[in-house]
Amino acid sequence: MVENISRTNLSYRGDTGNIEDAIDDTPLQTDSKCYDDDGRVKRTGTVWTTCSHIITGVIGSGVLSLAWSIAQMGWIAGPATMIFFSIITLYTSSFLADCYRCGDTEFGKRNYTFMDAVQNILGGPSVKICGIVQYLNLFGSAIGYNIAAALSMMEIRKSYCVHSSHGEDPCHISGNTYMIAFGVAQLFFSQIPDFHNTWWLSIVAAVMSFFYSTIALALGISKVAETGTIMGSLTGISIGTVTPAQKVWGVFQGLGNIAFAYSYSFVLLEIQDTIRSPPSERKAMKKAAKLSIAVTTTFYILCGCMGYAAFGDAAPGNLLAGFGVSKAYIVVDMANAAIVVHLFGAYQVYAQPLFAFIEKEAGKKWPKIDKEFKVKIPGLPVYNQNIFMLVWRSIFVIVATLIAMLIPFFNDVLGVIGALGFWPLTVYFPVEMYILQKKIPKWSRKWICLEIMSAFCLIVSIVAGLGSLVGVWIDLQKYKPFSLEN
């Protein structure tokens, strides 16, 4: 790129507002094959790279809690809930895909981020509300992924300990070391400049997600075949085994876990901004969303149902934990290792939009903050390092790691995150933006149907949040800070 275009125009930084904010009073480069219509370096994403980003964001640690969630609801309500969330997610994803460009869906002004779309289409107080909810959700996801990665690493260590001691050692494993180790690794991954440069990490993570989901499915099938019994019941955990209140809160928490398992809408536009055109980004995103959600729903139903069939009402919060000391421990260890690798990528899919937002806002207040320093490493090319990026992103990772160590409640954290982001980010804002974009008349049949769907999802989100918060409260009565053990 020509030298007088600033660095913020060289890479995706999550800019909101006019594109002129991203350049140093230089005319946009729209006549070159190297640049897109907004003057940015030409996007190179395809349907397949988009699928990898979506699958990395969607098929995550949440898949391992689905058997537990189905156990709370039973054979009828559990799978039905997963299908419901998949349909809602697919439906609203198509709304969001249409919001990538304002006005004309082919040539209108681009909305680089979810917040851009809300600001340019809805405006008003919706922007601040969206920002608070979205970025809290992204931050919470980073905490949840740290906990999930630590649990998987602990399972590997415990499996080795049990088998090397022939079951004589109780093998109590502390999770703090593993949370710190994951956080240290993220200190390095977080220096990847922007979302565009994470495509390779997302592909690796997506492959890993398929790998461990397939193992979990195969282990569930093998356990059912070994016992010859399909466990579980039509209504899930029965009252008597748990109190009526525990049953209700368990169902609510299960709703939150399933909502979390499908949540990725709040990074959809960031993902869409990586897609090259022609064909239009909207068409490519809709195709990728259909493929990705179809694949993930299939895996979710298979893994969740086979896990429930294998363990019944005793299904663990982390499905692989149920096989941890079995004869197939080597396969389980491989699956847990794949989870850790996957979570490296998933962490970045959710963290990069937050990094970009903070750095963009800081750049507005302190224009010189984007200055880079050349770092010379013997034997390697000169590396340009932004000091603010280094410091801020490191602080983010450290704080997320410390909070994960303070509240290491895997299922409950997933439920709270899912409930927090599901209605506003997956349903409300996409629906409202779609209504305005398509100019749907108020009180028309379509308007009423969309608003009823939104209201119903709000109720689901509220009860899921209550159930998960109760779960966190109960866990806080039993756990001490920095005391995750297995």
Side-chain angles (χ1 to χ4, degrees):
M1 182 173 285
V2 292
E3 292 182 357
N4 60 345
I5 295 182
S6 70
R7 176 183 175 278
T8 47
N9 198 34
L10 290 173
S11 63
Y12 170 78
R13 308 290 282 167
D15 303 274
T16 59
N18 296 326
I19 190 63
E20 285 79 5
D21 293 338
I23 62 175
D24 295 333
D25 299 320
T26 305
L28 295 177
Q29 304 297 318
T30 58
D31 57 345
S32 170
K33 293 182 180 180
C34 297
Y35 311 109
D36 276 326
D37 56 0
D38 59 350
R40 297 190 176 193
V41 174
K42 205 158 189 70
R43 295 157 176 84
T44 58
T46 64
V47 169
W48 301 111
T49 60
T50 303
C51 284
S52 71
H53 282 309
I54 295 173
I55 290 171
T56 299
V58 178
I59 296 186
S61 53
V63 70
L64 301 176
S65 69
L66 293 178
W68 182 90
S69 299
I70 292 178
Q72 310 308 306
M73 305 180 204
W75 278 116
I76 297 176
T81 300
M82 282 194 279
I83 293 173
F84 165 78
F85 278 104
S86 70
I87 293 172
I88 293 296
T89 302
L90 179 59
Y91 197 42
T92 57
S93 291
S94 69
F95 295 168
L96 271 179
D98 287 333
C99 294
Y100 177 63
R101 290 182 182 267
C102 290
D104 192 304
T105 57
E106 303 290 332
F107 305 105
K109 177 186 175 184
R110 297 173 188 260
N111 292 311
Y112 302 110
T113 68
F114 193 102
M115 272 193 68
D116 280 356
V118 173
Q119 182 173 16
N120 293 326
I121 298 173
L122 297 179
S126 295
V127 180
K128 289 186 178 180
I129 295 171
C130 171
I132 292 170
V133 175
Q134 182 186 11
Y135 295 120
L136 277 177
N137 206 277
L138 294 173
F139 183 59
S141 296
I143 295 170
Y145 287 152
N146 194 311
I147 296 170
L151 288 171
S152 291
M153 288 187 276
M154 290 166 66
E155 286 295 332
I156 296 172
R157 180 68 183 88
K158 184 175 182 179
S159 174
Y160 173 78
C161 175
V162 169
H163 288 89
S164 62
S165 66
H166 303 288
E168 296 178 2
D169 190 332
C171 299
H172 295 299
I173 311 295
S174 172
N176 291 336
T177 301
Y178 299 100
M179 289 188 184
I180 293 171
F182 184 81
V184 169
Q186 289 302 333
L187 287 174
F188 293 96
F189 282 114
S190 292
Q191 295 308 312
I192 296 175
D194 50 56
F195 213 156
H196 291 273
N197 291 316
T198 64
W199 64 267
W200 62 272
L201 191 57
S202 286
I203 290 175
V204 172
V207 171
M208 291 297 102
S209 66
F210 282 122
F211 180 71
Y212 69 72
S213 297
T214 302
I215 288 178
L217 173 61
L219 289 172
I221 293 172
S222 66
K223 187 172 178 63
V224 171
E226 181 182 347
T227 60
T229 304
I230 295 178
M231 306 286 284
S233 64
L234 294 179
T235 57
I237 296 176
S238 59
I239 295 176
T241 305
V242 295
T243 65
Q246 289 173 330
K247 173 70 175 179
V248 171
W249 295 126
V251 170
F252 288 174
Q253 188 179 337
L255 285 172
N257 286 353
I258 295 174
F260 174 82
Y262 277 102
S263 59
Y264 85 100
S265 296
F266 48 89
V267 292
L268 184 144
L269 292 181
E270 284 84 346
I271 293 174
Q272 192 167 343
D273 190 47
T274 68
I275 300 174
R276 70 187 179 200
S277 62
S280 74
E281 308 89 354
R282 174 177 63 94
K283 292 179 180 178
M285 173 52 78
K286 288 185 177 183
K287 183 177 180 180
K290 288 178 182 178
L291 288 171
S292 302
I293 293 174
V295 170
T296 56
T297 300
T298 301
F299 266 89
Y300 281 178
I301 291 178
L302 289 173
C303 289
C305 290
M306 289 312 303
Y308 184 45
F311 293 101
D313 293 347
N318 182 332
L319 180 58
L320 290 175
F323 304 101
V325 292
S326 67
K327 295 178 181 178
Y329 72 94
I330 295 178
V331 177
V332 176
D333 289 347
M334 292 171 60
N336 277 307
I339 290 171
V340 176
V341 175
H342 168 263
L343 290 174
F344 284 134
Y347 191 103
Q348 289 304 312
V349 166
Y350 285 93
Q352 285 291 339
L354 179 54
F355 293 159
F357 172 74
I358 295 297
E359 287 155 21
K360 182 265 299 182
E361 291 298 320
K364 285 182 178 179
K365 292 186 177 180
W366 305 288
K368 294 183 179 180
I369 206 169
D370 208 34
K371 185 177 180 181
E372 293 182 338
F373 297 87
K374 296 184 182 298
V375 179
K376 296 181 179 180
I377 302 175
L380 295 175
V382 175
Y383 175 69
N384 294 324
Q385 177 63 61
N386 179 279
I387 298 301
F388 177 73
M389 178 192 295
L390 175 65
V391 174
W392 136 245
R393 295 187 180 194
S394 297
I395 292 173
F396 171 89
V397 173
I398 292 169
V399 171
T401 302
L402 287 173
I403 294 176
M405 293 167 66
L406 277 168
I407 49 170
F409 316 132
F410 179 61
N411 274 343
D412 298 331
V413 169
L414 294 189
V416 171
I417 295 169
L420 174 67
F422 173 67
W423 178 72
L425 301 178
T426 302
V427 182
Y428 175 74
F429 287 119
V431 165
E432 295 303 315
M433 288 190 290
Y434 178 78
I435 288 173
L436 283 178
Q437 283 274 80
K438 299 298 181 180
K439 299 179 181 178
I440 298 173
K442 195 172 185 179
W443 302 113
S444 65
R445 180 181 298 178
K446 190 170 186 178
W447 183 90
I448 292 172
C449 289
L450 289 172
E451 293 296 346
I452 289 174
M453 180 187 75
S454 181
F456 178 76
C457 291
L458 171 61
I459 295 171
V460 171
S461 197
I462 290 173
V463 299
L466 288 174
S468 299
L469 287 173
V470 168
V472 170
W473 174 254
I474 292 173
D475 283 337
L476 285 173
Q477 309 306 306
K478 299 182 291 184
Y479 287 92
K480 295 179 180 179
F482 303 102
S483 62
L484 176 62
E485 292 186 356
N486 193 354

